């Protein structure tokens, strides 16, 4: 779905695994993570600097990305924060950009295992988009079981276009 040499924004890149995958396929990647330690690890893995910033304070040029990859990263924001952050992220993308976003499936919000989580179902995701004041065309939305055998969680996956 992406043009050759597309510029991908990897939000919450963690270890850099997905950024590396994209780079190995010829895409340009801007990787961002809120953890200095993970950003250092990812920088070493991918061979380029990872931006250390939280999503609230992240500043990037508008309309500069062909795709946004937010795999299990935005779920650590509160439901109240999500519309403004989603609006900001949409602004980073070019018209026609592809988005992938994933959240734990459900309507839970709060601390779980020492970290804050906001789970989304299709209805809550739609409310986030509506409150953001921006539009994304949903290409596909699906629920998947966690691939880790010890986990029974389900995930809401969204593929969308600006």
């Amino acid at each position: 779905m992406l043009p050759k040499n597309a510029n991908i924004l990897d939000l919450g890149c963690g270890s850099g695994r997905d950024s590396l995958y994209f780079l190995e396929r010829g895409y340009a990647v801007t990787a961002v993570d809120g953890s200095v330690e993970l950003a250092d690890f990812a920088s070493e893995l991918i061979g380029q600097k990872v931006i250390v910033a939280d999503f609230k304070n992240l500043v990037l040029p508008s309309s500069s990305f062909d795709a946004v990859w937010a795999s299990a990263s935005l779920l650590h924001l509160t439901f109240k924060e999500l519309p403004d952050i989603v609006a900001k992220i949409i602004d980073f993308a070019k018209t026609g950009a592809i988005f992938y976003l994933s959240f734990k499936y459900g309507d839970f919000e709060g601390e779980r295992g020492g970290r804050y989580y906001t789970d989304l179902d299709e209805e809550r995701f739609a409310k986030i988009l509506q409150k953001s004041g921006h539009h994304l065309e949903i290409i596909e939305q699906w629920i998947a079981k966690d691939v880790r055998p010890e986990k029974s969680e389900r995930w809401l996956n969204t593929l969308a276009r600006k």
Side-chain angles (χ1 to χ4, degrees):
M1 298 178 87
L2 298 179
K4 189 174 182 172
N5 304 317
N7 191 4
I8 300 172
L9 175 59
D10 185 356
L11 285 172
C13 72
S15 69
R17 178 200 66 198
D18 297 339
S19 290
L20 180 63
Y21 178 89
F22 298 138
L23 288 165
E24 289 175 341
R25 279 145 188 82
Y27 297 111
V29 176
T30 299
V32 177
D33 202 89
S35 162
V36 172
E37 294 81 10
L38 278 174
D40 287 345
F41 183 88
S43 292
E44 183 78 25
L45 179 69
I46 67 174
Q48 70 182 45
K49 180 91 172 117
V50 171
I51 297 168
V52 178
D54 67 34
F55 301 136
K56 296 173 210 164
N57 299 312
L58 182 61
V59 177
L60 295 168
S62 293
S63 302
S64 56
F65 296 97
D66 299 296
V68 175
W69 181 261
S71 179
S73 55
L74 299 175
L75 52 73
H76 296 298
L77 298 166
T78 67
F79 188 80
K80 185 178 179 181
E81 293 170 321
L82 275 166
D84 288 340
I85 300 299
V86 167
K88 178 189 235 186
I89 292 165
I90 291 171
D91 285 342
F92 293 152
K94 297 175 182 176
T95 300
I98 301 297
F99 286 75
Y100 172 78
L101 307 102
S102 66
F103 292 84
K104 290 183 184 216
Y105 188 78
D107 60 3
F108 173 81
E109 183 174 1
E111 193 172 304
R112 183 189 296 133
R115 292 191 78 187
Y116 194 87
Y117 288 90
T118 296
D119 298 352
L120 297 183
D121 56 20
E122 299 88 343
E123 184 179 328
R124 285 168 54 87
F125 185 89
K127 283 181 186 174
I128 296 291
L129 271 183
Q130 180 187 23
K131 289 180 179 184
S132 78
H134 287 61
H135 174 75
L136 289 179
E137 169 198 355
I138 304 298
I139 298 168
E140 185 178 359
Q141 202 167 43
W142 68 98
I143 301 164
K145 185 180 178 308
D146 199 304
V147 296
R148 299 168 294 181
E150 73 278 7
K151 301 284 185 178
S152 62
E153 298 161 327
R154 296 184 308 154
W155 291 82
L156 177 67
N157 301 274
T158 301
L159 192 61
R161 182 183 332 269
K162 179 176 178 180

